[in-house]
Amino acid sequence: MAVSTRRILHGAITDITNNINLEDELHCDTFSHAFIEGGGHDTRRPSLVRNNPFASTAVLNRLNDQGSILSKFLLATDEKGCDDRDGKPSCWSRLKACFASPGSMDSMDACWCSLMLEPMESRSVRVIMLGEAYALFGALFLNCTWILYEYGSVKGYGDTDEDALVNHVFEAVMALAIMCNTFLALNGMTLWVLSILQSESSQQWVFTVRGMLSLCLNLVTITVVLDFIGMVLAVYSNLSPRWPETIICFVVAAILHISWNRTLGDILVTSMPLEFYHTPLWNQLVSNPAAVLTKKGRQELQTGARARAEELKQRAYQRRGAIDPNQTQQAAFGDEGRQYPCVGIGSLL
């Protein structure tokens, strides 16, 4: 009796589920169920972009436009960097010309172009996570900045025998660090809240907030550099003239900062060479100088950037069920060349 009852209930539930799925397919329900892979468990949640006819064409239109930011990011244009409009290059332009990157965007906005190529559901979640990360990091790291200020400030200990020049420089550096850190938390919170409200409904949200994302990234870099300078000045202010302890602390601080910076630079060049290739020269010099100052490093960076550009482009077309028109033209040209093997460049001249 119990077995037959379970069979009847199971059959009824199966019929209801099949009828619901059939109605969704017939009416093209916008809130169709999108499959999400995660942790070995199959979870389903409503998707707003599954059957949206514009979701798959917005990115493709930008890829086909030679003047768009995505085409420049994927090295699909013939533009050259380091152009001098007034005919009189400055010292910074001459320095950039020595390490010129052909086709480089020379902008921090390039760090977010790969996110623009992702499907809408993926990039809407990731931009929310980025805002959350910047807000939490800015709020938590502000404690470290303030502790460092109290450690090195003369006002914190009431000692008036310190070097006045060092103390004035330290106060100015830490004031800038506190301001950058505070506005990092503020911008991260703003990005977090706005992304929760708009990222799911706005197809161009990552493109819209790319400036705020770049601002947060620049504030992180500036805050870390200022805190490191403040750390050196604080150690000098508290330990000098006990030079053995002072020198040991200087060496340890330099080793820690160089190790962290070198590890980060290697990760950037290895995992995201295209994004690093498009960043400004000052960012490349701060993050990984070897990739810019040496000829071998520049060649490896350019090779990795072109390989990643091709990978991202193919992935963008495949995920949207489209074919790269450039590859189609190249394939057609190759087939035409194979049909007429006797026709060469020399015979056409």
Side-chain angles (χ1 to χ4, degrees):
M1 180 69 179
V3 176
S4 60
T5 303
R6 284 198 299 267
R7 289 179 178 176
I8 294 173
L9 292 176
H10 179 71
I13 294 174
T14 303
D15 294 338
I16 293 174
T17 305
N18 293 334
N19 291 333
I20 293 175
N21 293 335
L22 182 60
E23 291 178 0
D24 289 342
E25 293 178 359
L26 292 176
H27 296 285
C28 296
D29 188 8
T30 305
F31 293 90
S32 59
H33 296 286
F35 176 74
I36 304 174
E37 299 179 356
H41 302 282
D42 298 344
T43 59
R44 297 176 182 272
R45 70 181 183 89
S47 173
L48 296 175
V49 298
R50 183 73 174 179
N51 294 325
N52 192 343
F54 299 100
S56 60
T57 59
V59 175
L60 296 180
N61 292 335
R62 290 184 177 274
L63 290 176
N64 296 330
D65 184 8
Q66 293 295 321
S68 66
I69 184 175
L70 291 182
S71 296
K72 296 177 181 179
F73 173 69
L74 295 175
L75 302 175
T77 59
D78 297 330
E79 295 182 2
K80 304 294 182 180
C82 303
D83 295 333
D84 300 312
R85 299 179 180 180
D86 55 357
K88 297 180 179 180
S90 60
C91 296
W92 179 248
S93 299
R94 294 177 182 177
L95 179 61
K96 292 174 62 177
C98 297
F99 312 104
S101 300
S104 176
M105 295 171 57
D106 196 23
S107 174
M108 296 298 294
D109 293 348
C111 298
W112 324 111
C113 288
S114 59
L115 185 59
M116 299 179 192
L117 296 172
E118 294 292 328
M120 183 176 178
E121 187 171 277
S122 176
R123 64 176 181 261
S124 64
V125 174
R126 291 186 182 183
V127 73
I128 294 175
M129 296 174 64
L130 283 171
E132 180 182 2
Y134 281 130
L136 294 179
F137 171 79
L140 295 176
F141 198 72
L142 184 59
N143 297 326
C144 300
T145 304
W146 184 257
I147 291 173
L148 182 60
Y149 171 73
E150 288 187 340
Y151 170 73
S153 176
V154 175
K155 299 178 181 179
Y157 289 91
D159 191 358
T160 58
D161 296 334
E162 301 293 339
D163 190 350
L165 179 61
V166 174
N167 180 63
H168 292 166
V169 175
F170 175 80
E171 292 287 340
V173 169
M174 295 311 300
L176 294 174
I178 292 174
M179 286 188 291
C180 293
N181 205 337
T182 303
F183 277 91
L184 171 61
L186 178 61
N187 282 277
M189 180 274 299
T190 305
L191 177 64
W192 190 3
V193 174
L194 292 179
S195 297
I196 292 175
L197 296 175
Q198 299 294 331
S199 62
E200 188 72 18
S201 58
S202 178
Q203 299 179 13
Q204 307 296 332
W205 183 246
V206 179
F207 180 80
T208 304
V209 299
R210 69 188 189 280
M212 183 169 289
L213 288 168
S214 300
L215 176 60
C216 291
L217 183 57
N218 290 332
L219 288 176
V220 170
T221 304
I222 296 172
T223 302
V224 171
V225 173
L226 291 175
D227 280 352
F228 177 74
I229 297 175
M231 184 187 303
V232 173
L233 294 175
V235 169
Y236 175 82
S237 178
N238 283 275
L239 297 182
S240 63
R242 301 191 300 271
W243 298 116
E245 296 91 334
T246 305
I247 294 175
I248 291 175
C249 291
F250 282 170
V251 172
V252 171
I255 291 175
L256 292 176
H257 184 75
I258 292 174
S259 300
W260 170 78
N261 196 34
R262 183 175 181 180
T263 304
L264 177 61
D266 292 339
I267 293 175
L268 293 177
V269 174
T270 304
S271 62
M272 42 190 307
L274 182 60
E275 292 85 342
F276 185 76
Y277 181 83
H278 285 295
T279 56
L281 178 60
W282 65 265
N283 180 75
Q284 296 176 358
L285 292 175
V286 171
S287 303
N288 195 335
V292 182
L293 299 178
T294 61
K295 183 178 180 180
K296 180 180 179 181
R298 292 195 298 270
Q299 292 177 350
E300 292 178 354
L301 178 60
Q302 188 172 0
T303 302
R306 294 192 178 278
R308 178 165 172 78
E310 188 64 26
E311 176 188 356
L312 292 176
K313 189 175 183 180
Q314 292 179 2
R315 187 188 305 172
Y317 279 104
Q318 290 175 359
R319 287 179 175 178
R320 291 161 177 81
I323 301 176
D324 186 1
N326 295 328
Q327 291 185 353
T328 305
Q329 294 177 0
Q330 293 177 359
F333 182 77
D335 294 338
E336 182 179 356
R338 286 191 294 269
Q339 292 177 1
Y340 303 98
C342 297
V343 179
I345 296 179
S347 61
L348 296 176
L349 296 178

